[in-house]
Amino acid sequence: MNDKAENKVDELKGKAKEAVGNATDNEQWQAEGKAEQGKANVKQAGEKLKDAVKGVTDKN
């Protein structure tokens, strides 16, 4: 699986964990879910930056 897909899967897992935490009033799972989403979002931003740099270097 490519990095972008893995990052999206991680984001969705984080959302699911947060939702379960919300449903069960489990603050640890809520926090872990938010942290996983944040980590995935940072990775996705890195992938977008890498793609942007690649697009600029491909044009030159």
Side-chain angles (χ1 to χ4, degrees):
M1 193 171 5
N2 70 29
D3 290 338
K4 290 179 187 178
E6 288 178 19
N7 296 338
K8 193 64 176 176
V9 167
D10 289 342
E11 179 187 0
L12 294 174
K13 287 190 323 190
K15 285 183 179 186
K17 186 179 273 188
E18 182 183 6
V20 170
N22 289 337
T24 60
D25 203 27
N26 184 321
E27 292 179 5
Q28 181 176 348
W29 276 32
Q30 291 170 340
E32 287 177 10
K34 286 181 182 180
E36 287 178 17
Q37 289 174 66
K39 186 176 174 183
N41 289 336
V42 168
K43 288 181 180 180
Q44 288 173 348
E47 288 297 321
K48 288 179 183 177
L49 179 61
K50 194 167 51 173
D51 289 345
V53 169
K54 185 175 187 255
V56 169
T57 58
D58 286 348
K59 289 181 183 178
N60 293 330

